[in-house]
Amino acid sequence: MKIALIFLSLFWLCACNTKSHENKKVISPANVHDTVSNVETPIVMESKAKENEESVYFVIIADTSLNYFTLHKKMFELHRNLNIPIDTMGRYFNKDKDLIALPDNSEDEMYAGEYLPRRFPSSDLSLEYLKFYQSQADNKIIALVAGIYESEKEADSVLTVLQKGEKKVFRIKAKIYEDCIH
């Protein structure tokens, strides 16, 4: 458990110390809370950062809700039914703060106890605040993200598969800030 947190912290530290993410490999680490992923075969994707520190990605949203626990249950159903890995990045729902957050004792001192959004390409399921990807969304709407993709074609393939069983699935073309957030 501590190793996963150390790895995640080192990952963020390396990301913050690098001006250009071009050709940098992003690895989905194992996490502390609710993580269902194969640690032996992490997903590796290439990142295409722009000079303005933002990249355009295609985000697949399987569903949205104001209720974290409803989407949490649905996330595990999608995992079981379609074998899509889950990566919560160590976050959980903090009832006292009414917030998806890293643990208060996280090694990332700046974001300990706070929300840290998924910002890089990944084919994992996770629960995120929709506002981060769609600026007109309400601050508290939670999205069940079914991946962030560099390629529109790849995103559309995932969208097509999910549309067979999910009524509310949709795709967002989002500009995502990739440089250091510390």
Side-chain angles (χ1 to χ4, degrees), residues 99-121:
L99 183 72
I100 300 170
L102 288 171
D104 290 331
N105 63 353
S106 172
E107 291 183 22
D108 186 334
E109 294 175 9
M110 183 172 225
Y111 284 96
E114 299 298 325
Y115 174 64
L116 179 64
R118 180 174 300 280
R119 303 183 304 134
F120 299 100

Side-chain angles (χ1 to χ4, degrees), residues 68-86:
Y68 174 89
F69 300 101
T70 299
L71 290 178
H72 186 266
K73 181 180 175 184
K74 187 169 188 173
M75 178 173 66
F76 275 89
E77 288 171 6
L78 279 174
H79 165 71
R80 275 190 307 276
N81 295 337
L82 299 174
N83 200 29
I84 303 172
I86 295 173

